């Protein structure tokens, strides 16, 4: 069996070492394609792979056509919007993710962005504190839970809205429930996004919601840039000098922000949420174990395609 790790944004070396321990113990071969620059490199690397581990790398029909022996692809991470699921099914490839494995890293990054912004980038001017501020968690999955724990440490008031999570599961984390998004955005100076990107959520955060946010509003996006309606976001920035946008990955309208709104945004150049040694180890090793388990026992627990 040949397991290919294909990552345009490489894992930490220690994670690769631990992934190799898992594949060695199973008697499988491990192949690495890291920091590749062109999809043609992926197409040739995947040609003889039985399994593949990816991060945000796009698994398209073209990649699957080239992957003649592929039986399983695991997205080492939570969001699997980069996997073409119908195409995986059509190619008889099992698709999985590794939910929860990098959630703490993403939550910590959200706070790093909030703290850096609250202190004006450590430029010597008086800033503000997080204590007693209202934090709204838009979606309350694995990242949302870590957000709540950290926020409580800072003394923030934490609210959440997530129609897919039972009220009790939100309340037991010490988080107050908002019955709808309007309430969440109206109550919270800080709103942090934690939903997946799918047909329902894409472009769902726009002007009508954002305008409800209180004075000195801060929108934190460590989810996906696609969930933002960027025209609506730009309209808010035109109208409100107090608005801030912190995003893990640059929006398509980055040039407008750079021209007009200096100091009011932070954008990471590459997605950094899961870029820690710990998250790379957790997600990478989980992916390798899931592949071995699937081949040895047929376990499909984390399958995301039908
Ligand atoms: C995820 O969905 O798990 C994160 O966005 C991580 O993405 P990355 O593996 O590309 O850093």
């Amino acid at each position: 069996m040949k397991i290919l790790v294909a990552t345009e944004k490489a894992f930490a070396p220690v994670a690769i070492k631990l992934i190799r321990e898992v594949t060695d113990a199973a008697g499988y071969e491990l192949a690495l394609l890291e920091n590749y620059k062109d999809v043609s490199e992926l197409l040739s690397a995947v040609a003889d792979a039985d399994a593949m581990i990816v991060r945000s790398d796009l698994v398209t029909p073209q990649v699957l056509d080239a992957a003649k022996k592929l039986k399983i692809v695991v997205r080492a991470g939570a969001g699997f919007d980069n996997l073409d699921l119908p195409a995986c099914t059509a190619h008889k490839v099992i698709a999985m993710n590794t939910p929860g494995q990098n959630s703490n890293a993403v939550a910590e990054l959200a706070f790093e962005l909030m703290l850096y912004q609250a202190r004006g980038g450590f430029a010597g001017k008086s800033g503000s504190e997080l204590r007693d501020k209202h934090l709204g968690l838009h979606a309350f999955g694995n990242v949302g839970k870590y957000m709540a724990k950290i926020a409580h440490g800072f003394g923030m008031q934490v609210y959440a809205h997530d129609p897919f999570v039972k009220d009790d599961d939100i309340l037991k984390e010490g988080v107050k429930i908002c019955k709808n998004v309007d309430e969440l955005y109206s109550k919270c100076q800080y709103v942090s996004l934690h939903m997946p990107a799918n047909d329902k959520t894409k472009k769902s955060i726009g002007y009508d919601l954002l305008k409800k946010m209180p004075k000195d509003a801060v929108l934190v996006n460590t989810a996906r840039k696609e969930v933002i309606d960027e025209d609506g976001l730009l309209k808010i920035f035109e109208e409100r000098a107090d608005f801030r946008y912190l995003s893990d990955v640059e929006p398509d309208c980055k040039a407008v922000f750079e021209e007009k709104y200096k100091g009011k945004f932070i954008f990471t150049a590459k997605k950094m949420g899961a870029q820690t040694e710990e998250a790379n180890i957790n997600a990478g090793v989980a992916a390798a174990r899931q592949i071995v388990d699937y081949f040895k026992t047929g376990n499909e627990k984390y399958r995301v395609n039908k």
Side-chain angles (χ1 to χ4, degrees):
M1 291 287 178
K2 182 165 175 177
I3 321 293
L4 172 69
V5 173
T7 48
E8 179 268 324
K9 187 176 60 187
F11 285 126
V14 60
I16 295 294
K17 182 176 166 285
L18 295 170
I19 291 170
R20 193 182 293 286
E21 281 179 17
V22 175
T23 53
D24 281 356
Y28 298 164
E29 182 191 344
L30 183 72
L32 295 179
L33 176 70
E34 297 181 295
N35 303 307
Y36 63 93
K37 300 279 176 269
D38 194 273
V39 71
S40 60
E41 297 172 63
L42 176 57
L43 298 181
S44 62
V46 79
D48 61 348
D50 298 282
M52 177 162 69
I53 297 173
V54 293
R55 295 185 64 179
S56 290
D57 309 77
L58 297 182
V59 177
T60 61
Q62 188 193 22
V63 172
L64 292 159
D65 282 342
K68 297 276 181 259
K69 294 174 68 188
L70 196 69
K71 291 152 200 79
I72 175 168
V73 56
V74 182
R75 192 279 191 246
F80 47 87
D81 45 310
N82 54 317
L83 309 181
D84 185 328
L85 296 185
C88 287
T89 304
H91 285 77
K92 296 195 172 26
V93 171
I94 304 230
M96 294 187 184
N97 69 343
T98 65
Q101 299 293 344
N102 53 23
S103 307
N104 181 63
V106 176
E108 285 192 15
L109 182 81
F111 273 87
E112 284 152 9
L113 293 169
M114 284 156 63
L115 289 166
Y116 189 83
Q117 187 275 327
R119 294 303 181 100
F122 311 131
K125 287 198 183 145
S126 187
S128 60
E129 299 179 24
L130 297 184
R131 187 165 65 169
D132 291 333
K133 303 294 188 308
H134 290 194
L135 170 67
L137 301 172
H138 192 162
F140 197 71
N142 291 308
V143 182
K145 281 193 196 112
Y146 282 110
M147 290 293 295
K149 283 190 176 56
I150 300 170
H152 286 136
F154 277 103
M156 299 182 90
Q157 304 291 322
V158 190
Y159 296 82
H161 171 73
D162 192 330
F164 301 102
V165 178
K166 287 195 222 109
D167 283 3
D168 282 352
D169 289 339
I170 297 178
L171 293 170
K172 77 177 182 221
E173 302 294 332
V175 173
K176 297 173 200 73
I177 292 171
C178 290
K179 283 287 169 213
N180 53 53
V181 280
D182 289 354
E183 189 189 342
L184 187 81
Y185 283 69
S186 311
K187 272 206 170 106
C188 297
Q189 178 190 342
Y190 286 85
V191 170
S192 190
L193 307 177
H194 300 291
M195 71 285 283
N198 56 37
D199 290 346
K200 289 220 169 69
T201 61
K202 281 182 188 165
K203 288 191 190 290
S204 65
I205 312 300
Y207 179 77
D208 290 341
L209 264 187
L210 298 176
K211 75 168 186 220
K212 296 187 189 303
M213 290 181 71
K215 194 176 172 302
D216 296 327
V218 183
L219 179 67
V220 186
N221 182 6
T222 54
R224 290 289 183 270
K225 71 174 178 182
E226 288 83 0
V227 302
I228 304 286
D229 166 12
E230 293 192 5
D231 290 339
L233 179 71
L234 289 174
K235 193 166 168 207
I236 277 288
F237 270 79
E238 260 164 48
E239 286 181 10
R240 284 180 53 176
D242 65 313
F243 214 94
R244 303 286 181 270
Y245 181 46
L246 318 178
S247 178
D248 183 19
V249 91
E250 299 163 339
D252 295 334
C253 60
K254 175 187 145 195
V256 182
F257 272 90
E258 284 181 337
E259 190 196 319
K260 293 187 171 174
Y261 305 120
K262 276 244 144 58
K264 298 185 175 187
F265 65 90
I266 307 174
F267 303 146
T268 58
K270 280 214 170 198
K271 191 139 61 84
M272 288 299 294
Q275 264 312 48
T276 64
E277 280 190 353
E278 294 88 337
N280 290 172
I281 291 169
N282 292 343
V285 169
R289 286 197 182 129
Q290 285 171 217
I291 288 169
V292 171
D293 204 26
Y294 170 69
F295 283 137
K296 304 265 188 208
T297 72
N299 187 349
E300 296 187 5
K301 180 165 176 200
Y302 295 105
R303 184 170 181 164
V304 292
N305 64 336
K306 297 210 168 71

